[in-house]
Amino acid sequence: MTVLSRVFARRTALVGAILLLLVILFCFFGPLLYGTDQSHTDLSAARLGPGSGHPLGTDDLGYDVLGRLMVAGRTSLIIGVLAGLIATAIGAVWGALAGYTGGWLDTVLMRVVDTGVAIPALFLLLVAATLVTPSVGVLALIIGCVSWLVPARLMRAETVSLRERDYIRAITVLGASRTRVVFRHVIPNAIGTVVVNATFQIADAILLVAYVSFLGLGVPAPDTDWGAMLSKGITYTFDGSWWLILPPGIAIVLVVCAINFLGDGLRDAFAVKGRR
Amino acid sequence: MTRYLLKRLVLAVVVVLLVTVVTFVLLHLLPGGPARGVLGVQATQEQIDAFNKAQGFDQPLPVQFWDYLVRLLHGDLGDSYTQNSPVSTLLTERVPKTLLLTAISTLLAIVVALPVGVWQAVRRGKAADHVATGVTFLLYATPVFFLSLVLIIVFAQVLPWFPAQAAQGDTIGELLSQPGSLVLPVVAGMGAALAAFSRYMRASTLDNLAEDYVRTARAKGTPERTIIWRHVWPNSLTSVVSMLGYYVPVVFSGSLVVESMFNYPGVGLLFWTAARNADFPVLLGVVLVIAVATVIGSLLADVVQLVIDPRVRVKGARS
């Protein structure tokens, strides 16, 4: 069986993949079917409950919530995926370098990781937000740069065990350069672990984007993302405007869940140990 | 073993030192330095110069860093820009309150999560395992602020059982005298930890179930119940214990949100207010406390693992 068919043999992974596909369709192609004005405020239509014309109501500035959910989802997904990939790339190279080289470089690189773990990512994000104006690219870069520690640790562990394998030793004896061994042999052979972890990184990044926006440091208006929608909706929680909070909240939970299900399926498919 | 402990101790100190370097550098990366943060964008150059001179920010960076370190060693974390009080005083007031909240929710989460993890592992692939997996994923995927909001809507608005605002008070005793108001913050803080620990326990138990010692025990006719609780449980526990230490920053990030959602007077709320007011001494103070707590946490986790897991001890210094 190929990896993919093994993944989808698991019902949870299949459900995750389908859910994720639906959300992507909703966010990127939804606006083509359901056009709404997401750049001009309309205070005369502010905070309307769900009903005809606005299936999910409108927010405090008169934006249609359903349409806003699509636009916001695009931002959340793009930043999440980019940040997850950046984190995975940095972490993979860092961990492979540390694990393969060993010695003092390993010690130095891993102490940097320990330091990063000890400093809360939210602190770095807060400081970064005072330094630069957040945009989609900047946020993805910053979130990617604060969340590469776990993939680095994983990659190091993987590399240390690969390093001892005979075929890597053979290549080294044949005179392959260190860079070549790391990039051509160690990283590709650890790719299973990395791919699985990347899915979790993306899920975590989407959550982190939500946190950052929730704290008021997200993309500037009229752009928005799910975390920012939630954060704005909180003001009206006690007025009973549930349609401002539940849709973005449920969207975040749904996407993160779907990605985690998919990642779990991938992990099981790659894992040899549990396949008997 | 002593050698290993000493080595770990030295590394811990190095990490703490690196953290101080990072916080120091970040503070100086801010546009206009700390002066802009305090005086605001309206400040004139003369005002900034005067401020920098008064605070010693006109000295060369290495000198400033050395001063910073010396002051830290004396327990002097500077004074808050916005609150008329030294950072160390603010922290000693707030840390116990946050510890109270996080300790209760983490302990409760562990007490619930560990048996659930084992229970799932034993039923791997069965419907019960899938359901529990679904629930833990749902919990993990729910941001703390959304969970808090849902809790407030359901248990403070629709069913007015608990207040939406956390207990207020200067002492732990005062907070504990209003237990009803601690329920929602504690439950909100449990969510992610519950999910993470039960997932981890499930994986760890599965790994152990595949080990030779389990097969030996089964071959000898040991009852399954004894195998699980006498042999697998303690072994699975050690790996979860080692994770606890690394969990400190996660717990803190959660408490930052929980405290601001329920207006609980802890470190998280202090940090959040400081962040909004660009009160950098407070921010740095909080970060240092968390960093030291994380380092001590992982150190303790390693030591505990050394004590309770004979396999680690036999490997000795672990090279």
Side-chain angles (χ1 to χ4, degrees):
Chain A
M1 274 204 289
T2 66
V3 168
L4 228 83
S5 62
R6 273 211 305 275
V7 172
F8 293 126
R10 280 161 211 285
R11 207 166 303 155
T12 45
L14 189 64
V15 169
I18 292 173
L19 263 179
L20 197 61
L21 195 69
L22 288 179
V23 174
I24 292 172
L25 286 175
F26 170 77
C27 294
F28 289 90
F29 297 101
L32 299 177
L33 296 175
Y34 181 77
T36 49
D37 184 355
Q38 294 293 335
S39 44
H40 301 95
T41 57
D42 178 10
L43 292 177
S44 63
R47 287 215 289 136
L48 298 175
S52 60
H54 300 287
L56 283 178
T58 59
D59 70 2
D60 55 314
L61 295 176
Y63 290 123
D64 179 81
V65 173
L66 183 59
R68 200 132 187 87
L69 211 53
M70 299 171 181
V71 179
R74 262 196 318 230
T75 320
S76 289
L77 287 176
I78 292 175
I79 299 180
V81 170
L82 281 180
L85 293 181
I86 293 172
T88 307
I90 301 178
V93 174
W94 194 280
L97 206 63
Y100 184 73
T101 319
W104 66 268
L105 187 65
D106 182 24
T107 312
V108 170
L109 292 180
M110 293 325 282
R111 277 326 71 100
V112 172
V113 171
D114 288 348
T115 310
V117 169
I119 300 175
L122 273 176
F123 169 75
L124 296 175
L125 289 170
L126 288 175
V127 174
T130 58
L131 289 175
V132 286
T133 338
S135 66
V136 171
V138 170
L139 270 180
L141 195 66
I142 295 175
I143 292 177
C145 287
V146 299
S147 41
W148 55 275
L149 306 164
V150 174
R153 276 222 172 103
L154 269 178
M155 193 63 189
R156 179 180 176 276
E158 195 77 2
T159 311
V160 168
S161 89
L162 275 175
R163 192 176 57 182
E164 302 305 321
R165 306 266 172 88
D166 289 338
Y167 74 95
I168 297 278
R169 287 207 172 142
I171 304 160
T172 318
V173 173
L174 286 173
S177 75
R178 187 174 287 178
T179 337
R180 188 182 162 83
V181 173
V182 169
F183 282 95
R184 293 299 298 274
H185 299 284
V186 173
I187 293 183
N189 277 299
I191 203 77
T193 320
V194 174
V195 167
V196 171
N197 183 255
T199 59
F200 299 127
Q201 286 297 320
I202 292 172
D204 283 351
I206 290 175
L207 279 178
L208 209 49
V209 178
Y211 277 104
V212 175
S213 304
F214 176 75
L215 295 175
L217 303 166
V219 287
D223 280 334
T224 189
D225 72 86
W226 290 329
M229 283 178 79
L230 255 171
S231 160
K232 279 189 68 187
I234 285 182
T235 328
Y236 306 102
T237 312
F238 292 102
D239 302 345
S241 300
W242 56 267
W243 63 90
L244 297 183
I245 303 155
L246 292 187
I250 292 171
I252 296 173
V253 176
L254 209 65
V255 166
V256 175
C257 251
I259 299 177
N260 275 318
F261 270 138
L262 194 59
D264 225 39
L266 276 175
R267 178 165 54 197
D268 284 351
F270 275 116
V272 184
K273 210 172 167 185
R275 208 195 300 154
R276 39 186 124 179
Chain B
M1 194 162 138
T2 328
R3 237 185 85 100
Y4 169 69
L5 282 181
L6 265 178
K7 200 177 148 195
R8 281 293 282 110
L9 210 62
V10 171
L11 289 180
V13 173
V14 170
V15 169
V16 170
L17 209 64
L18 278 175
V19 170
T20 62
V21 174
V22 172
T23 53
F24 180 80
V25 169
L26 280 177
L27 183 60
H28 284 268
L29 268 179
L30 295 166
R36 277 267 179 248
V38 186
L39 304 172
V41 273
Q42 303 274 311
T44 63
Q45 195 55 47
E46 289 85 55
Q47 282 172 314
I48 290 175
D49 290 342
F51 176 87
N52 282 344
K53 201 168 163 59
Q55 300 275 331
F57 291 142
D58 53 348
Q59 303 278 326
L61 280 186
V63 177
Q64 283 191 47
F65 182 65
W66 180 248
D67 286 349
Y68 178 64
L69 273 187
V70 170
R71 275 186 280 123
L72 282 184
L73 283 176
H74 288 94
D76 177 8
L77 293 167
D79 295 313
S80 161
Y81 291 159
T82 54
Q83 307 190 43
N84 214 352
S85 177
V87 175
S88 48
T89 316
L90 289 172
L91 283 175
T92 41
E93 277 169 12
R94 304 280 191 127
V95 167
K97 295 178 193 168
T98 295
L99 277 181
L100 174 78
L101 194 65
T102 51
I104 297 178
S105 46
T106 311
L107 272 179
L108 277 178
I110 291 175
V111 167
V112 178
L114 300 191
V116 169
V118 176
W119 185 77
Q120 272 187 274
V122 174
R123 283 167 189 73
R124 177 184 195 176
K126 301 229 174 82
D129 180 27
H130 288 311
V131 171
T133 300
V135 172
T136 45
F137 273 19
L138 213 59
L139 262 183
Y140 178 78
T142 309
V144 182
F145 51 81
F146 185 56
L147 182 61
S148 310
L149 269 174
V150 171
L151 288 174
I152 290 175
I153 293 176
V154 176
F155 294 108
Q157 268 201 299
V158 181
L159 308 167
W161 293 350
F162 303 108
Q165 163 129 312
Q168 303 292 314
D170 291 330
T171 62
I172 297 265
E174 275 178 64
L175 295 178
L176 283 176
S177 68
Q178 314 156 52
S181 66
L182 291 177
V183 172
L184 294 186
V186 164
V187 174
M190 277 175 67
L194 193 71
F197 284 121
S198 69
R199 280 318 278 171
Y200 212 72
M201 193 63 187
R202 178 181 178 274
S204 168
T205 308
L206 280 179
D207 281 351
N208 271 295
L209 282 175
E211 293 277 336
D212 289 337
Y213 73 86
V214 172
R215 201 179 316 156
T216 310
R218 277 189 185 140
K220 281 164 60 183
T222 317
E224 196 66 18
R225 181 176 285 269
T226 315
I227 295 177
I228 301 287
W229 297 109
R230 197 70 69 64
H231 302 295
V232 173
W233 166 262
N235 281 335
S236 311
L237 218 53
T238 54
S239 68
V240 177
V241 166
S242 69
M243 193 178 103
L244 251 180
Y246 292 116
Y247 215 66
V248 175
V250 181
V251 167
F252 169 75
S253 302
S255 80
L256 167 64
V257 178
V258 169
E259 289 183 9
S260 70
M261 288 298 301
F262 294 96
N263 200 27
Y264 180 87
V267 180
L269 195 61
L270 178 73
F271 183 84
W272 174 220
T273 344
R276 271 195 297 197
N277 298 328
D279 196 341
F280 288 101
V282 174
L283 283 180
L284 292 187
V286 175
V287 168
L288 280 176
V289 167
I290 296 159
V292 172
T294 310
V295 172
I296 294 177
S298 54
L299 192 66
L300 278 182
D302 284 358
V303 173
V304 168
Q305 204 176 21
L306 205 66
V307 173
I308 61 179
D309 190 348
R311 284 174 299 188
V312 181
R313 220 169 6 199
V314 172
K315 269 186 233 157
R318 283 212 281 194
S319 75

